[in-house]
């Protein structure tokens, strides 16, 4: 089971990162007219970045 589970899990994560439909955070970088928009998934950012974990937790407490 584990031989099939982990490759499928990795493939699922790749698909999630490419997904343009079910993102829940939009990050805008730059100044007009040079703004780049990144769509992301809060749960992935939360678990992959200690900085973003603190930022997202702080914003959640402030209801932002």
């Amino acid at each position: 089971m584990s031989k099939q589970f982990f490759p499928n899990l990795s493939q699922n994560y790749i698909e999630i990162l490419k997904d343009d439909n079910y993102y829940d955070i939009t990050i805008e970088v730059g100044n007009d007219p040079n703004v780049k928009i990144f769509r992301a998934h809060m749960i992935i950012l939360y678990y992959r970045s200690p900085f973003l974990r603190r930022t997202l937790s702080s914003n959640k407490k402030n209801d932002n």
Side-chain angles (χ1 to χ4, degrees), residues 1-56:
M1 179 176 139
S2 66
K3 285 186 176 185
Q4 292 179 345
F5 177 77
F6 289 115
N8 288 341
L9 181 63
S10 297
Q11 182 60 38
N12 293 143
Y13 281 129
I14 291 169
E15 292 169 7
I16 288 169
L17 294 173
K18 293 179 181 179
D19 188 329
D20 282 338
N21 294 314
Y22 296 106
Y23 61 90
D24 54 0
I25 289 184
T26 302
I27 302 169
E28 296 182 15
V29 179
N31 298 314
D32 284 331
N34 300 317
V35 175
K36 175 73 176 167
I37 297 173
F38 297 92
R39 293 176 178 92
H41 304 275
M42 184 178 355
I43 194 76
I44 293 173
L45 296 176
Y46 183 87
Y47 281 98
R48 297 293 296 168
S49 169
F51 171 77
L52 290 174
R53 181 180 293 193
R54 287 189 305 272
T55 303
L56 293 169

